[in-house]
Amino acid sequence: MKYEVEVLVEQYLKNNYTWMLKKFFLPSNLCVNELKNILVVDHGKAQIVDQACLFYTMLCKDYLRLYNRNELDGYTQFHYAQLVDIFGIGYRGVLDLLLAAGLLEVNQVNPETGEVKTTGYYSKTRATAKSYRIPKRLHELGKFYKTATINTLDKVLMNKIARLKGVTTDQHLKREYYRNYVLAQMNQVVLLDNDHSRSVIALECAKRGVAYTDEYATARINAFNFDPVKRSVICAFGTRVHTEITNNLKQMREDFRFGGDSSKWEEIDLVASQPWFLSIITPALIKKFVPECADAIPAFKTYNRHPDLLRFRRLCADPDYGIYEAFRDAYNAMYGAQFTRADAKRICFRAFYTNYQKHEKLTPAKCAVRVQRACDALAAVEESHKHVLCFGYRYQRHEAVQQLQAAKKRVKLAKSLLFSHQCITMFKAEFRGAYDLLAEIKLLPWDFERGTKTFYTKYYANPALLAQRMEASIVYTVVVKALVDAGITRIVTIHDSFCVREQDAAQAKKIIKRAFAQLKLKPSLK
């Protein structure tokens, strides 16, 4: 049996066209004529209908995410700038028409205070954002969206789509050739619709406790292939390239293909890449690849010859018994646990990137008390929840469910705090030199552009920022450049790994090793 996408993919591979595959996504019970009747009369421009279809495309795609999280009553947040990109400065008038016609709903309730605003609740963390959703009556049971072909892509619509993709606001990164080269390759990738890709989606549904249907699998795969707003981002924090390939399930990667090429992929990965990139940082590499972080150079000079830091670096470079194995064994010995190497990745990330200042004020006993109190509170809420479900009114049952979810979240947070404290304590005891180095870096006031604006800058994330920027700069300005210069032009990156065609893999590995060797670096590949 050939699925619909398989036939389209075959056509794509033969003809190598891009925009012909792109489609609008609309709610199952909404037709374009209905939008025309509501919008064109008031605005007098047929273009506004295409713009509304673009808006619904984003809502329908996010509806898949909400389904995957068992949050079908959830909303999709839109920053006002996105709405301007879609509808222009008159976006409020368009949305008011859709709301009045019952074709759209806005989140009116502040989830923390319960305050109701009929014009829509502004997000606490993003005061210029509101959240919208498609009314349930527009969703046909079991259907996630229907597609409408984009007949013409005029310059206005193409510019809107380009802005919504929102690669980056950093002018330097916009001009950086090899990041943009990889982004262009990623935007040409096709996901095959076959039994394997569907089985991967089915396993994910089972893991999340979500009902799997063939319609859902079709919607997921079509969304990847047909979405005109396949978002591509060079993140401001780590300057990595993020696309829907990087955000997709790892098991799905064998079903990706480069546009115009039916060859299978082979992924070339670096062993223990995140700790390794953190361990190879030197003053010289900072000056060359991450000059904006030059304030960290004195700290590296101070600890450069510390025995614990040298041992940390040796373990990060060891392909047989490396840093993950060392962290696993040290954690198990200290806490009587039975963690595996896979679990050790969690230990590493908590040990490296958690807020040290916060944990200096804590003790294992204090963390354990928090866990116990949260568990006791959950037990009490569960008992009350059972009683209310049996004898309470409807509004009481709704409140009881919310209280139970909040109590479970508090238990999860308390256990997470304890685990983080244990990881930091172990790291500090085993690798004091590396710990002290990271602690100093976490205090540096790096206030350059680093991504999402919050109420305070998370300086404790500085080591992650430094390591990711180092990784991205080396990957794109050195390694990818070497691959492309050698004629391996079909390449995408998934952070620290390189996906190439199967027939190019052996040559690519040699080029990657040679490129790192020019910097006197020797990563282990797998």
Side-chain angles (χ1 to χ4, degrees):
M1 169 186 176
K2 280 194 174 182
Y3 298 107
E4 177 193 2
V5 178
E6 267 192 292
V7 176
L8 289 167
V9 167
E10 285 179 1
Q11 294 173 0
Y12 181 87
L13 295 175
K14 286 179 182 177
N15 301 316
N16 194 23
Y17 54 79
T18 304
W19 288 108
M20 291 290 286
L21 279 176
K22 305 307 178 186
K23 295 174 180 284
F24 287 133
F25 305 151
L26 294 174
S28 305
N29 291 330
L30 177 65
C31 64
V32 176
N33 286 335
E34 191 173 0
L35 288 175
K36 287 180 180 177
N37 292 336
I38 292 167
L39 298 176
V40 176
V41 172
D42 286 83
H43 287 265
K45 294 180 180 178
Q47 282 180 339
I48 201 70
V49 177
D50 284 343
Q51 294 162 15
C53 289
L54 197 56
F55 176 64
Y56 278 110
T57 295
M58 298 177 75
L59 282 171
C60 287
K61 190 169 180 191
D62 198 54
Y63 186 69
L64 294 172
R65 178 187 65 85
L66 294 170
Y67 179 87
N68 199 30
R69 295 174 59 177
N70 268 322
E71 296 176 5
L72 287 181
D73 292 328
Y75 292 83
T76 302
Q77 188 179 81
F78 284 87
H79 190 273
Y80 86 95
Q82 287 178 297
L83 297 173
V84 171
D85 284 340
I86 297 171
F87 296 111
I89 57 175
Y91 71 90
R92 287 189 180 91
V94 182
L95 295 179
D96 287 343
L97 287 172
L98 295 174
L99 289 165
L103 302 183
L104 187 66
E105 292 177 354
V106 63
N107 185 12
Q108 300 176 335
V109 182
N110 184 326
E112 294 185 0
T113 65
E115 179 186 4
V116 175
K117 288 188 177 182
T118 55
T119 56
Y121 157 71
Y122 277 107
S123 165
K124 178 182 176 182
T125 56
R126 298 182 72 180
T128 51
K130 289 184 180 180
S131 298
Y132 300 89
R133 70 181 178 190
I134 298 166
K136 287 186 177 179
R137 70 177 185 84
L138 296 181
H139 284 297
E140 184 181 341
L141 186 64
K143 302 291 184 183
F144 294 89
Y145 56 77
K146 65 182 179 183
T147 58
T149 302
I150 301 177
N151 295 316
T152 58
L153 265 172
D154 58 28
K155 189 174 181 180
V156 173
L157 191 60
M158 287 184 71
N159 286 338
K160 288 180 179 297
I161 289 171
R163 285 196 296 272
L164 288 170
K165 285 176 179 288
V167 174
T168 180
T169 56
D170 187 298
Q171 293 302 314
H172 168 70
L173 294 178
K174 277 184 177 179
R175 293 191 298 269
E176 204 282 296
Y177 178 80
Y178 290 98
R179 277 185 181 85
N180 288 289
Y181 180 89
V182 170
L183 275 173
Q185 290 292 310
M186 286 179 165
N187 286 329
Q188 300 297 321
V189 170
V190 175
L191 174 60
L192 297 180
D193 188 342
N194 53 35
D195 292 335
H196 180 265
S197 59
R198 287 174 175 260
S199 69
V200 172
I201 295 172
L203 288 172
E204 183 190 23
C205 288
K207 184 178 178 180
R208 290 179 173 269
V210 176
Y212 170 83
T213 64
D214 284 338
E215 288 79 6
Y216 173 63
T218 299
R220 279 275 299 270
I221 295 166
N222 286 357
F224 183 93
N225 287 322
F226 299 153
D227 181 15
V229 193
K230 193 180 285 185
R231 191 163 170 76
S232 304
V233 178
I234 300 173
C235 74
F237 181 81
T239 68
R240 290 167 151 187
V241 171
H242 294 270
T243 68
E244 297 196 18
I245 298 170
T246 54
N247 298 330
N248 227 298
L249 295 172
K250 186 172 184 178
Q251 297 88 337
M252 195 78 83
R253 291 175 192 170
E254 69 176 75
D255 299 308
F256 289 133
R257 298 290 184 271
F258 290 108
D261 195 319
S262 58
S263 303
K264 289 184 178 180
W265 283 15
E266 185 164 329
E267 187 176 354
I268 303 168
D269 203 359
L270 275 64
V271 176
S273 57
Q274 289 207 40
W276 183 77
F277 273 107
L278 191 62
S279 74
I280 57 100
I281 298 171
T282 62
L285 288 175
I286 291 175
K287 287 179 183 178
K288 183 171 184 177
F289 294 107
V290 200
E292 67 272 24
C293 298
D295 289 353
I297 290 176
F300 278 93
K301 287 182 177 179
T302 299
Y303 293 98
N304 202 34
R305 305 307 301 173
H306 194 289
D308 285 348
L309 183 59
L310 293 174
R311 185 165 66 92
F312 173 75
R313 285 174 170 166
R314 284 197 300 271
L315 286 166
C316 286
D318 192 329
D320 299 318
Y321 185 87
I323 195 65
Y324 289 151
E325 287 82 4
F327 269 48
R328 174 200 63 196
D329 294 344
Y331 184 90
N332 288 346
M334 187 172 285
Y335 300 109
Q338 293 183 330
F339 274 27
T340 65
R341 184 189 183 280
D343 297 323
K345 291 185 180 182
R346 293 170 51 218
I347 301 172
C348 274
F349 299 151
R350 296 293 180 100
F352 299 156
Y353 306 135
T354 308
N355 187 343
Y356 289 175
Q357 285 184 302
K358 174 182 176 181
H359 283 272
E360 288 289 345
K361 302 172 185 176
L362 297 173
T363 64
K366 286 182 180 179
C367 294
V369 167
R370 289 193 184 192
V371 172
Q372 188 58 52
R373 286 176 179 171
C375 289
D376 291 343
L378 175 60
V381 170
E382 284 177 332
E383 193 61 34
S384 171
H385 178 257
K386 290 177 184 177
H387 179 79
V388 171
L389 286 182
C390 293
F391 305 108
Y393 293 105
R394 184 176 178 180
Y395 77 91
Q396 290 175 320
R397 292 199 294 271
H398 179 69
E399 289 178 358
V401 169
Q402 289 183 320
Q403 290 172 358
L404 182 62
Q405 290 174 342
K408 287 180 177 178
K409 186 175 180 179
R410 284 192 289 272
V411 170
K412 186 177 180 179
L413 290 173
K415 289 182 176 179
S416 178
L417 184 72
L418 175 60
F419 177 60
S420 294
H421 191 75
Q422 290 175 336
C423 295
I424 293 169
T425 302
M426 180 277 298
F427 182 46
K428 189 175 181 179
E430 291 290 320
F431 300 94
R432 184 58 187 259
Y435 172 88
D436 288 342
L437 171 62
L438 296 188
E440 283 199 26
I441 295 172
K442 288 172 186 280
L443 299 177
L444 296 173
W446 288 343
D447 289 320
F448 47 75
E449 174 59 36
R450 51 191 287 160
T452 306
K453 300 288 190 299
T454 56
F455 295 113
Y456 63 95
T457 303
K458 296 178 180 178
Y459 295 127
Y460 65 83
N462 284 351
L465 180 147
L466 177 57
Q468 287 185 19
R469 290 190 176 207
M470 181 68 70
E471 167 207 297
S473 188
I474 292 174
V475 163
Y476 294 109
T477 65
V478 177
V479 184
V480 171
K481 180 180 184 301
L483 288 165
V484 174
D485 289 349
I488 299 179
T489 56
R490 289 300 206 180
I491 176 173
V492 300
T493 58
I494 302 177
H495 302 324
D496 43 45
S497 64
F498 307 86
C499 296
V500 297
R501 296 181 305 171
E502 205 172 37
Q503 60 265 38
D504 295 333
Q507 183 190 2
K509 286 181 181 178
K510 293 178 183 177
I511 296 168
I512 292 167
K513 288 180 179 179
R514 195 183 308 135
F516 278 111
Q518 290 173 358
L519 301 173
K520 298 182 180 179
L521 300 174
K522 191 178 179 181
S524 298
L525 303 182
K526 60 179 179 181

